[in-house]
Amino acid sequence: MPEVGDERVSQKLSYVQGYPQWQWYIGTGLYIDDIENDLAIKKTKMFNDMKRIGFATFIVILIGFFVFARILFVLQKKMSEDFTIFRDFFSNLIDKNKKINLAKIRFDEFVQMGIFANNMLDAKVQLEEHLRYYKKIVSASSDFLALVDKNSCYYAINQTYLDAFGKKESEFIGHSAVDIFGSKVFEEKIKPCNERALSGESFSVEKWFEFPTGRRYLEVTYFPIKEEGEEVAFFVVSAKNMTQKKLDADKLLESEQKLQFLAHYDVLTNLPNKTLLTDRIEHAIANAKREESMVAVCFIDLDNFKKINDGFGHSYGDDVLIQSTKRITQALRAIDTLSRIGGDEFILLLEHLKDIIEVEEVIKKVQVQFTKPFLVKNQKFFISASVGIALFPQHGLSIEELIRDADIAMYKAKDAGKNTYRFYNKNMSMTSQVFVDMENALKEAIQQEQFVVYYQPQLNLISGECVGLEALVRWNHPTKGIIAPNEFIKFCEEFVIPLIFSKSILFVALVRNISEL
């Protein structure tokens, strides 16, 4: 405050406060110049203080910066070491299976990452182990295995597949089937199956395949690899070698067919045997009943065939039988059945007949086939055929009756001079019974040695000396006495003489009687 008496012009700031209860006014005053001076002094002081604080702060910040930089450097170094550990881990992940050493990691956050990385490595090792065993299994498999894409390019293939084609893996992997097998084979055989697989179809085919290493029968299965909502991009081709199984199955089928053939056909001539003939006669009779038609059973026996077998051997006889079969077949209709029932005996089945004339026309054509000689190994043979015919329903209603009656008629054809045919009639059965009775009587005579030999000497008319003996067989029947040869010799020619020689009856009688001379 200016001193009293000091004169100056200065603005003054006054403040008056009234107190009514006291009826006082209290006032005070302050020169503005004094305020400005005080403010200037305080401003200068504050500025000086700020300079000191700023400098101190700068020093503190500078020290803090160096401390922070040091800390950051240390942290960066530690982090760099941790990053180096992870970088090395991921760099070597493909070639090496080395885990991260968690003890070397500085930061706890990175330790957790290291745990995850090691778990990932364990999964990779396990997967590689599975893949390794899977490859062993695939490589060891005898099946053909290949992975093919939608462009028919091979992505994977096993050793069995390669061995079959005699090629290396590099010749398949990345190459299309067109390049490997050619466009023609691809279009005709491979493409249709590939398209089915790419359409999403799983299927199998079995067939023979030609490989450079040999022919194989394969069961080929196609497995499309489907991804949900996506088209088939790959498919697996799996082929199982079924060659031996197929060969065994074919052999079994062949054996079964052969057994079936043997059960119904004659091995030498390939004609139906009696079993198959019986079945066909049965069907023919059933058809004849519906159609009101006739069936003819024709018993064919080759004349003088026995002489060929006895004189030249069975190989000649077999050849004649084969030729006879071909000749008879040429004379038949497509609906006729020729069967060989044994030896030189055949049965011809004619059906859908309306008249006997149809039978005679066929039989005459058959006999014409025997007018030409048979040539076997430059040897000519002239043989003919005797035929006996039985008709359904005129002569018999059953298979057994028809065959029996045709057989009887055939013998009548032979009695008529051979090379002819006869239709059955009831009188033939009576004659046939005579044959049966005589056959039984002759067999009994052989067993009981009823045959005796009479000797007629042959003399030299000049010297009167006996130069030989003519042996004459007689049948000494127990009830009928001596039976002359003319009564039984014709029966012997049919079925008895082989029995006589097999028992050596004539030889024994000859020796016994000579010893008695």
Side-chain angles (χ1 to χ4, degrees), residues 338-356:
L338 180 64
S339 169
R340 180 183 177 223
I341 60 174
D344 61 337
E345 295 177 335
F346 299 83
I347 289 182
L348 173 59
L349 173 63
L350 308 177
E351 51 184 316
H352 305 293
L353 302 171
K354 295 298 182 181
D355 197 290
I356 292 178

Side-chain angles (χ1 to χ4, degrees), residues 51-69 71:
K51 285 176 63 178
R52 288 194 298 272
I53 292 171
F55 179 77
T57 302
F58 173 77
I59 297 300
V60 171
I61 291 174
L62 184 62
I63 293 171
F65 173 79
F66 281 108
V67 171
F68 178 76
I71 294 173

Side-chain angles (χ1 to χ4, degrees), residues 439-450:
E439 181 180 9
N440 292 334
L442 285 171
K443 288 180 179 179
E444 185 177 349
I446 293 171
Q447 293 174 354
Q448 297 178 4
E449 297 184 358
Q450 295 175 6

